[in-house]
Amino acid sequence: VQLVESGGGLVQPGKSLKLSCSASGFTFSSYGMHWIRQTPGKGLDWVAYISSSSGTVYADAVKGRFTISRDNAKNTLYLQLNSLKSEDTAIYYCARSGNCDYWGQGVMVTVSS
Amino acid sequence: DVVLTQTPPTLSATIGQSVSISCRSSQSLLDSDGDTYLNWLLQRPGQSPQLLIYSVSNLESGVPNRFSGSGSETDFTLKISGVEAEDLGVYYCMQATHAPLTFGTGTKLELK
């Protein structure tokens, strides 16, 4: 099992960014997937979840601004980040299933002017 | 949201010492399906978290059996029977019984 995030970077407040998580080593379409973030030096915060049937759930802090999606043909999970705020600065991880049994290496998103 | 409080926040141990970490939940984590979705994760320095134990006491594949988990309802414990150097890092409990998924405050295990 391997999860590889990409798409992070430095972005100005109010702008957008799209993160990707490329999955391999398992049947991607059969698993729900999470996005979880970690503020540098601090703890872990759940961001969003998409089920195997593409039902979605969001944390209140990102609802209406972030969109989680998946492309099973490409074995890829996405997170569209809009209207970014400084408090969205974090390392973003994708993780597999309800147990979060596998995690990617993370991608850094920095929101700053 | 469910609040998970871990103690102690920092733990100093010598190699070979046995240690325990507590995780207390603000509400019962017993699900209506009879399972308790309380997991333990380890984040080594510079790495992403990895799953150690799921559903209170089940060892994830490949995790050494010096790790064990116990507890029920709102009180849970992770025990390491004989700390090894590779065990250093931050331990998190995590619950998936109640939406949204939440994580504990973390316990940093360091060498004394």
Side-chain angles (χ1 to χ4, degrees):
Chain A
V1 173
Q2 193 170 16
L3 299 171
V4 180
E5 301 96 336
S6 61
L10 172 63
V11 61
Q12 294 179 330
K15 299 295 186 180
S16 299
L17 206 58
K18 188 171 187 176
L19 307 182
S20 299
C21 169
S22 178
S24 60
F26 65 103
T27 305
F28 177 72
S29 60
S30 297
Y31 288 84
M33 298 290 295
H34 295 277
W35 283 102
I36 294 160
R37 66 186 180 185
Q38 184 171 34
T39 307
K42 295 191 178 179
L44 298 160
D45 290 312
W46 172 79
V47 173
Y49 173 76
I50 186 167
S51 69
S52 57
S53 56
S54 294
T56 59
V57 191
Y58 297 93
D60 288 344
V62 307
K63 201 173 296 183
R65 299 189 299 121
F66 292 7
T67 302
I68 188 172
S69 62
R70 63 191 302 157
D71 184 334
N72 291 336
K74 295 183 177 180
N75 290 336
T76 302
L77 174 73
Y78 301 102
L79 186 67
Q80 177 69 43
L81 295 70
N82 296 334
S83 303
L84 281 161
K85 306 175 181 180
S86 57
E87 52 263 42
D88 296 319
T89 294
I91 299 170
Y92 285 74
Y93 298 100
C94 58
R96 188 181 82 163
S97 83
N99 267 341
C100 298
D101 55 357
Y102 288 94
W103 296 60
Q105 86 287 352
V107 62
M108 184 71 206
V109 173
T110 303
V111 184
S112 176
S113 53
Chain B
D1 297 359
V2 173
V3 176
L4 300 176
T5 303
Q6 291 182 231
T7 55
T10 304
L11 198 48
S12 295
T14 56
I15 300 301
Q17 182 180 351
S18 291
V19 298
S20 293
I21 299 170
S22 170
C23 175
R24 286 195 166 173
S25 173
S26 61
Q27 55 186 282
S28 174
L29 299 182
L30 177 62
D31 193 64
S32 56
D33 65 4
D35 206 341
T36 300
Y37 297 100
L38 186 284
N39 302 341
W40 290 95
L41 310 168
L42 165 61
Q43 186 172 31
R44 297 187 175 97
Q47 296 186 17
S48 55
Q50 67 169 104
L51 181 65
L52 296 176
I53 289 174
Y54 63 94
S55 297
V56 181
S57 59
N58 296 279
L59 215 58
E60 178 68 358
S61 177
V63 174
N65 60 12
R66 63 180 178 273
F67 291 93
S68 62
S70 63
S72 63
E73 303 273 359
T74 60
D75 288 298
F76 304 91
T77 301
L78 174 70
K79 182 177 181 179
I80 310 173
S81 300
V83 168
E84 297 193 6
E86 65 181 20
D87 301 338
L88 304 183
V90 181
Y91 290 81
Y92 294 96
C93 54
M94 180 201 99
Q95 70 82 25
T97 297
H98 303 286
L101 188 155
T102 53
F103 297 87
T105 47
T107 295
K108 184 176 182 180
L109 177 61
E110 55 188 25
L111 275 181
K112 188 181 292 182

